[in-house]
């Protein structure tokens, strides 16, 4: 099919065969109508004139009327000029037959008109079918390119998540190891479980929601170990999360951001509240934390690449209309709310 669509010589050959077949059909018709008598000179010239008139109508339609009017959806002008073209082709046939063969039968005008229309209809149908096949091929190739591009970008985003998460966790463990804290071994075990999820269980675009929730719970426990007793950390889970699937590590940037940028000054009471609510096949996620402007990076990039990567992955895998993400920062309160559909395995 690709060869037929792209080889110009093959297209020309098909058109030549079409008109040769039409020419042969005309000769055979004259032979039958004249009681099986054949006049080579007159019949061949008559067949040439008829096919020339038909071809005029066909190519004016395909090369002029279709691209100028029909493809622009100007149907009224297309119909008007098509009728003019059919009438002109029929009139040219009558005139050529009269001047070249002294064949005068004006009553055949309607026959030539409708025959030319038949040729125009058949060739237009062939044109529309080949154009549709060509568009399908272009769309398939475009979708393939877009899919390959999407997969490459998703792999890049996943590759960015892993080191980003690992570096943050290692920084926490390192800070404890400096003070010879007894919590260090426990944190290392927690980190091992988390990295197993990151490296092995989250390779697919969608994974079990239950595993993702367990990951978040372990992540919160890992972060809670290094926090003071004054920090109000809450995690609330409601709804049935069995047999549901979600993007892996989609909550990690939001939860990590809440812990990383929550207030750190001694005089303030920090809070980090995280809630996941499942209703039927929809999930609502909320993460709220307070922060101290004095302890944010001076360049204004307080929330790193994690949130931007999360937004991109949501757009790629759900589409902009399939989810809702709202990130707000007001009066030292940072809030993330995410609503998205869940896949079911049943």
């Amino acid at each position: 099919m690709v060869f037929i669509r792209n080889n110009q010589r093959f297209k020309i050959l098909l058109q030549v065969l079409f008109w040769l077949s039409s020419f042969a059909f005309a000769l055979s018709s004259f032979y039958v109508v004249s009681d099986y008598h054949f006049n080579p000179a007159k019949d061949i010239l008559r067949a040439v004139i008829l096919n020339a008139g038909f071809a005029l109508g066909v190519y004016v339609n395909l090369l002029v009327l279709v691209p100028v009017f029909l493809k622009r959806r100007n149907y009224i002008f297309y119909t008007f000029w098509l009728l003019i073209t059919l009438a002109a082709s029929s009139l040219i046939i009558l005139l050529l037959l009269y001047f070249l063969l002294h064949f005068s039968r004006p009553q055949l005008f309607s026959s030539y008109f409708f025959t030319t229309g038949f040729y125009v209809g058949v060739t237009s149908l062939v044109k529309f079918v080949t154009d549709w096949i060509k568009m399908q091929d272009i769309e398939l190739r475009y979708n393939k390119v877009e899919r390959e591009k999407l997969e490459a970008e998703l792999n890049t985003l996943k590759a960015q998540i892993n080191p980003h998460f690992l570096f943050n966790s290692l920084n926490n463990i390192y800070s404890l190891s400096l003070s010879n804290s007894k919590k260090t071994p426990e944190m290392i075990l927690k980190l091992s479980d988390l990295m197993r999820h990151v490296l092995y269980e989250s390779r697919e675009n969608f994974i079990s929601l239950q595993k993702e929730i367990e990951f978040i719970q372990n992540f919160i426990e890992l972060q809670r170990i290094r926090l003071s007793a004054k920090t109000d950390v809450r995690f609330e889970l409601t709804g049935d999360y069995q047999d549901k699937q979600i993007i892996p590590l989609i909550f990690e940037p939001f939860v990590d951001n809440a812990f990383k940028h929550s207030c750190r000054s001694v005089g303030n009471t920090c809070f980090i509240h995280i809630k996941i609510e499942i209703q039927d096949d929809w999930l609502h996620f909320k993460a709220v934390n307070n922060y101290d402007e004095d302890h944010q990076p001076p360049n204004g990039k307080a929330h790193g690449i994690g949130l931007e990567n999360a937004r991109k992955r949501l757009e790629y895998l759900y589409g902009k209309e399939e989810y809702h993400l709202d990130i707000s920062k007001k009066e030292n309160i940072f809030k993330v709310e995410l609503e998205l559909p869940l896949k079911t395995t049943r």
Side-chain angles (χ1 to χ4, degrees):
M1 294 298 291
V2 175
F3 171 79
I4 294 176
R5 289 193 296 271
N6 296 337
N7 194 301
Q8 190 65 27
R9 292 182 180 180
F10 191 83
K11 293 179 181 178
I12 295 174
L13 177 61
L14 286 179
Q15 294 181 56
V16 171
L17 291 175
F18 175 82
W19 291 114
L20 285 177
S21 300
S22 176
F23 178 78
F25 178 78
L27 286 180
S28 63
S29 300
F30 300 155
Y31 182 67
V32 172
V33 171
S34 60
D35 294 329
Y36 304 103
H37 293 290
F38 185 64
N39 187 331
K42 288 187 177 181
D43 288 345
I44 291 176
L45 181 56
R46 185 180 175 189
V48 169
I49 292 173
L50 286 176
N51 281 279
F54 299 153
L56 177 64
V58 165
Y59 288 111
V60 168
N61 175 65
L62 294 180
L63 301 179
V64 179
L65 301 185
V66 170
V68 172
F69 299 112
L70 191 58
K71 288 188 175 181
R72 297 178 181 178
R73 300 183 179 181
N74 199 334
Y75 302 120
I76 295 178
F77 277 97
Y78 173 76
T79 303
F80 172 78
W81 285 109
L82 178 61
L83 294 175
I84 296 296
T85 300
L86 297 179
S89 299
S90 303
L91 182 60
I92 289 173
I93 292 173
L94 288 175
L95 292 175
L96 289 175
L97 290 175
Y98 176 77
F99 286 109
L100 297 179
L101 294 175
H102 305 290
F103 183 84
S104 178
R105 291 186 182 177
Q107 64 271 23
L108 292 177
F109 176 85
S110 60
S111 177
Y112 297 150
F113 182 93
F114 288 110
T115 304
T116 307
F118 173 77
Y119 274 77
V120 168
V122 170
T123 54
S124 296
L125 179 62
V126 173
K127 170 69 172 175
F128 296 150
V129 170
T130 54
D131 285 350
W132 181 82
I133 294 175
K134 186 183 298 183
M135 288 300 299
Q136 291 296 109
D137 181 63
I138 292 174
E139 185 176 353
L140 286 174
R141 285 186 282 125
Y142 175 80
N143 289 338
K144 181 180 179 181
V145 171
E146 286 297 306
R147 185 169 59 253
E148 291 175 350
K149 178 183 176 183
L150 173 62
E151 290 176 354
E153 290 179 341
L154 284 174
N155 290 334
T156 299
L157 292 176
K158 287 181 179 179
Q160 290 176 346
I161 288 173
N162 294 351
H164 180 257
F165 164 75
L166 177 60
F167 292 151
N168 287 345
S169 300
L170 287 176
N171 285 335
N172 296 336
I173 297 176
Y174 176 73
S175 62
L176 284 180
S177 66
L178 290 179
S179 60
N180 295 321
S181 172
K182 295 180 180 180
K183 296 180 180 179
T184 303
E186 182 181 354
M187 291 190 69
I188 293 176
L189 289 177
K190 288 287 185 183
L191 178 60
S192 176
D193 291 338
L194 294 176
M195 291 309 299
R196 184 181 298 109
H197 179 79
V198 171
L199 296 177
Y200 300 110
E201 296 176 351
S202 62
R203 291 182 176 180
E204 302 297 327
N205 289 334
F206 291 88
I207 66 167
S208 167
L209 176 59
Q210 181 176 355
K211 288 186 177 181
E212 192 65 19
I213 290 175
E214 291 174 356
F215 170 81
I216 292 301
Q217 290 172 329
N218 289 334
F219 183 88
I220 292 174
E221 290 303 314
L222 177 66
Q223 298 291 340
R224 192 196 300 269
I225 293 174
R226 69 175 181 86
L227 298 176
S228 68
K230 293 183 178 180
T231 305
D232 179 17
V233 179
R234 300 180 190 177
F235 177 70
E236 182 180 351
L237 174 64
T238 60
D240 181 16
Y241 53 84
Q242 302 294 327
D243 302 317
K244 302 287 194 307
Q245 288 188 324
I246 198 170
I247 299 178
L249 305 176
I250 195 60
F251 303 130
E252 185 273 332
F254 307 128
V255 177
D256 180 62
N257 181 82
F259 280 97
K260 184 177 180 181
H261 300 289
S262 60
C263 62
R264 301 176 182 178
S265 57
V266 178
N268 291 335
T269 300
C270 301
F271 71 86
I272 301 168
H273 296 169
I274 298 168
K275 181 179 180 180
I276 295 178
E277 182 180 3
I278 300 100
Q279 293 182 346
D280 296 326
D281 293 332
W282 280 85
L283 179 142
H284 180 81
F285 170 87
K286 180 188 288 187
V288 183
N289 65 276
N290 59 343
Y291 66 94
D292 192 339
E293 288 284 0
D294 296 334
H295 291 79
Q296 301 304 312
N299 58 5
K301 297 181 179 180
H303 311 297
I305 63 172
L307 299 185
E308 184 61 28
N309 283 352
R311 190 189 299 274
K312 289 181 180 179
R313 294 177 66 219
L314 285 166
E315 290 183 4
Y316 289 148
L317 295 174
Y318 286 103
K320 292 183 178 180
E321 303 299 325
E322 295 296 323
Y323 77 95
H324 176 72
L325 176 62
D326 182 52
I327 300 177
S328 61
K329 183 171 65 171
K330 185 178 181 182
E331 297 178 354
N332 289 4
I333 301 295
F334 191 86
K335 181 168 65 174
V336 175
E337 290 190 88
L338 172 65
E339 290 183 355
L340 49 77
L342 296 170
K343 288 193 172 185
T344 58
T345 57
R346 288 177 292 185

